[in-house]
Amino acid sequence: MTANGRPQAPLMTNTQADRVKEVARLAGRPSRSRRREFLAEGPQAAREAVRLHLGRVDAGADGVVVDVFATGEALARHDDLAALLASPDAPRLRRVTPEVLAAMSSTVTPQGFIAVCRFVDTSLDEVLASGPQLIAVLVGVRDPGNAGTIIRAADAAGAHAVILTGSSVDPYNPKTVRSTVGSLFHLPLVNGAQLEGLTDRLRGAGLTILAADGYGTTDLDELQDASASRRIGVTPEGIALRLDSQPAPPRGDTVRLEDPAAWLFGNEAQGLDDTVTEEADARVAVPIYGSAESLNVGTAATVCLYASARAQRES
Amino acid sequence: MTANGRPQAPLMTNTQADRVKEVARLAGRPSRSRRREFLAEGPQAAREAVRLHLGRVDAGADGVVVDVFATGEALARHDDLAALLASPDAPRLRRVTPEVLAAMSSTVTPQGFIAVCRFVDTSLDEVLASGPQLIAVLVGVRDPGNAGTIIRAADAAGAHAVILTGSSVDPYNPKTVRSTVGSLFHLPLVNGAQLEGLTDRLRGAGLTILAADGYGTTDLDELQDASASRRIGVTPEGIALRLDSQPAPPRGDTVRLEDPAAWLFGNEAQGLDDTVTEEADARVAVPIYGSAESLNVGTAATVCLYASARAQRES
């Protein structure tokens, strides 16, 4: 018997077992789509998956973790996770040899843990009904690492949800899951959202639509200055005069960074399509002070989301 | 004859040629270290390498590019780069078949251009003598992509130099070069800097030492607030009272974000060593508003460098 009163299953040693192959196939999209399951690899992702699972079960909902596979060595090293897995509502834990874990894993360094999880995404309706103040929308972001970075940054900035349009990378791609470092389990995710009508729906929920666009005509710094000046009761012109003897152009007046917002982030190579930026309330550029031609989309998204979060929290 | 008056070399078609193997070996560190040369792959990196080369030759210095290898198709597609390569001081251009380019390349998608470049790093003395206002220091950053992201973000934020300590990843690693997207050629780089005595040298050059540290006791937002309040002549307490009925703790008083600064960024897993953070003027944390445990070091670096750049430009 184990600590949670269930009989302990035998150690899995057969790298050729059907279940091992089944888990390994979740590295590929066809198998993920068919089973609506994905891999959370490594102790951090597995821990966050188990935490979400326990929270949902505690709230009377279905859990998200089907199975946790772990080596004895990893369980000994991560005793906090081992303790979580010993709680009564924990998902099933299967102990495996390092060889079995490696055969299941999509990575060369699985770090001793793989959680097989059910898809965690929710619907756009549900997200919009929750009164979100800050949302990140990925419109055709194709690189798994960039998508993961944005999900992690959205979580860090306290965003309320992340929406991926159908043209974006699969958030359940193992590389994306890894690069979210657990954040995939922290905030609501909408996957495969239809682009058509999306900005109308977001605006209908009270969100200002900000398109992150390196060629945008609205400067993020100016939005931040205008927001700060409203907060402390000085006119933007007052600040501008102190900053620079030339008066600042009257930009950033139409959108307010402290207002609830949905940020749109586009494809790595092409950026956002004109048809999308035209629907936005502003096309906002992160200023480039040096010689770089542009910022990586994950990096730009972090700067934009933090700017909104800061303005919203201080207003 | 080519446009720059040199005889056009024959098309390289032999994937087994010594020069092809020599170039391919530059993907590995031993060969790079021995030859003090590295690969800049793809049109963007090659363009920035050639631009730096032309700028240096124009200033009477040695160029940085040894050879540019390109396919005819890529030259036709990137006529701006082809034009640069036709100028009198351009480095030697060798036309190659796609097969030869693939055999030389470290990536599966070399996009038609490879520039073989001489190491571009400079000395710490030279950087400090230039009166830098903003420097990024990588202390044991190991992931090539993260290092590249930080170099690109430093460039975008208008930093004056990037310093890598000896424990950091090789900036000439093809993955790092790729992820700088040309920024490696935009700002001075010090490679393999000795950690011992480094903070003293930086401080001696008038730089405040800021350690980016998720567990730091100084909040980046508070530094930004304090900086903004000095700029517009309101006391930090005045702002704090408007923000929140509880007075803010007296943090961020010792360092000023608008002052010249060197930011230290640490290892992905271990962060910065205590011996390093103890030498810093402040240990600064990017606030986490949501549930994320931490930020990726490249992401955190971007937020920190932009915060400094913004404060410096507006002061």
Side-chain angles (χ1 to χ4, degrees), chain A residues 44 47 149 152-153 155-158 183 186 221 224-225 231-233 239 242-243 286-296 299 302-303 306 309-310 313-314, chain B residues 44 47 149 152-153 155-158 183 186 221 224-225 231-233 239 242-243 286-296 299 302-303 306 309-310 313-314:
Chain A
Q44 189 147 13
R47 181 188 300 113
T149 298
R152 184 178 181 187
D155 181 21
S183 288
H186 290 164
D221 272 4
Q224 292 192 83
D225 283 344
R231 172 161 60 89
I232 47 184
I239 287 189
R242 281 167 185 266
L243 292 181
V286 176
I288 303 283
Y289 298 127
S291 314
E293 200 176 284
S294 63
L295 282 169
N296 163 283
T299 304
T302 308
V303 173
Y306 261 89
R310 210 169 115 72
R313 298 182 85 83
E314 301 199 333
Chain B
Q44 189 147 14
R47 182 188 300 113
T149 299
R152 185 178 180 187
D155 182 21
S183 288
H186 290 163
D221 272 4
Q224 291 191 83
D225 283 345
R231 173 162 59 91
I232 47 185
I239 287 189
R242 282 166 186 267
L243 293 181
V286 176
I288 302 285
Y289 297 127
S291 313
E293 201 177 282
S294 62
L295 282 169
N296 163 283
T299 305
T302 309
V303 173
Y306 260 90
R310 210 169 114 72
R313 298 182 86 81
E314 301 198 333

